[in-house]
Amino acid sequence: MFYLLHLILLTYFTGNIYTLAEKYPRSEKNGQELLLCRKCGADVADSYYLFSKPSPGAYKTEKQNIFGQQNVTVQTLVNPFGINFEVVTAEKARCDNIGPNQGADSWFPGYSWRICACKHCGQHLGWTFEKTDSNAPKETSENIKTFHGLILKNILGENFTDSLIMMPNMYRM
Ligand SMILES: *[C@@H]1O[C@H](CO)[C@@H](O)[C@H](O)[C@H]1NC(C)=O
Ligand SMILES: *[C@@H]1O[C@H](CO)[C@@H](O)[C@H](O)[C@H]1NC(C)=O
Ligand SMILES: [Zn+2]
């Protein structure tokens, strides 16, 4: 009886692994990871698009080796309510931009911001920043038109989820 239950559980887990792997195929590029919504696992960004966009108001800035990339700029940004966010910046991300552009209190001068929420579950993932000055000089990698700030606490590297869903496999030994 106990054995049977065990078997059913295994089948359940195996089924889940299959769906997850099929739904979010692994990035083919070496040393890169997909960044997933921590709440629902939806694909949010590719670590390939992480870039450094320092905010002059950052409370703290450090380099971390995360998501298969070396020296990723992680900034601690503080909002007007005193809430801290550890944020990485990405040139591209898949999220829904919520509400009108806000010009005030932007962490990045010259950019307005909107909330960036998971397309699948609506979880707050960070912000989309959009250049407000259209007469600005030519775009460079530092002077990009739109980018995203993603809250580390609300995203997850795909390889971390791999290590989680591997656990049920160990029961088979
Ligand atoms: C993620 O795991 C895959 C397969 O195990 C590997 O090829 C890839 O390099 C890993 N990425 C990182 C950043 O470790
Ligand atoms: C990351 O930073 C270290 C220390 O500054 C440096 O030696 C290394 O070359 C950097 N790696 C990359 C990929 O920029
Ligand atoms: Zn989500």
Side-chain angles (χ1 to χ4, degrees):
M1 183 62 199
F2 189 76
Y3 177 76
L4 196 67
L5 186 72
H6 193 172
L7 201 72
I8 290 167
L9 275 177
L10 268 184
T11 319
Y12 176 76
F13 276 122
T14 316
N16 261 0
I17 292 164
Y18 184 69
T19 349
L20 203 73
E22 196 180 44
K23 212 163 165 191
Y24 305 112
R26 185 187 303 289
S27 162
E28 307 252 23
K29 295 173 221 116
N30 241 351
Q32 280 168 24
E33 285 192 48
L34 291 175
L35 312 189
L36 312 176
C37 169
R38 196 183 282 253
K39 194 169 167 190
C40 76
D43 172 1
V44 174
D46 191 310
S47 69
Y48 174 80
Y49 292 109
L50 292 174
F51 80 124
S52 183
K53 180 73 185 174
S55 161
Y59 174 73
K60 194 172 103 186
T61 302
E62 58 183 24
K63 303 282 187 187
Q64 288 185 20
N65 298 333
I66 44 172
F67 308 130
Q69 305 273 316
Q70 282 191 326
N71 307 334
V72 175
T73 303
V74 177
Q75 308 185 66
T76 306
L77 303 176
V78 186
N79 75 5
F81 305 103
I83 300 170
N84 287 15
F85 299 94
E86 277 200 310
V87 169
V88 292
T89 38
E91 293 176 53
K92 287 187 184 166
R94 282 168 286 273
C95 59
D96 286 331
N97 296 323
I98 312 284
N101 276 307
Q102 306 285 324
D105 295 318
S106 179
W107 286 314
F108 299 94
Y111 289 83
S112 63
W113 59 270
R114 300 170 84 184
I115 294 279
C116 151
C118 176
K119 279 180 176 295
H120 186 69
C121 76
Q123 165 78 6
H124 177 205
L125 297 172
W127 302 268
T128 300
F129 296 93
E130 200 164 329
K131 209 174 194 45
T132 44
D133 183 2
S134 49
N135 302 319
K138 206 169 151 268
E139 278 160 42
T140 63
S141 55
E142 279 286 288
N143 189 24
I144 191 172
K145 189 160 176 279
T146 58
F147 67 95
H148 306 268
L150 300 173
I151 303 168
L152 271 190
K153 180 162 81 62
N154 294 356
I155 57 173
L156 201 61
E158 62 172 332
N159 282 20
F160 181 77
T161 58
D162 280 355
S163 63
L164 275 186
I165 58 179
M166 292 266 280
M167 272 168 64
N169 286 338
M170 296 197 297
Y171 283 114
R172 281 181 215 170
M173 294 181 170

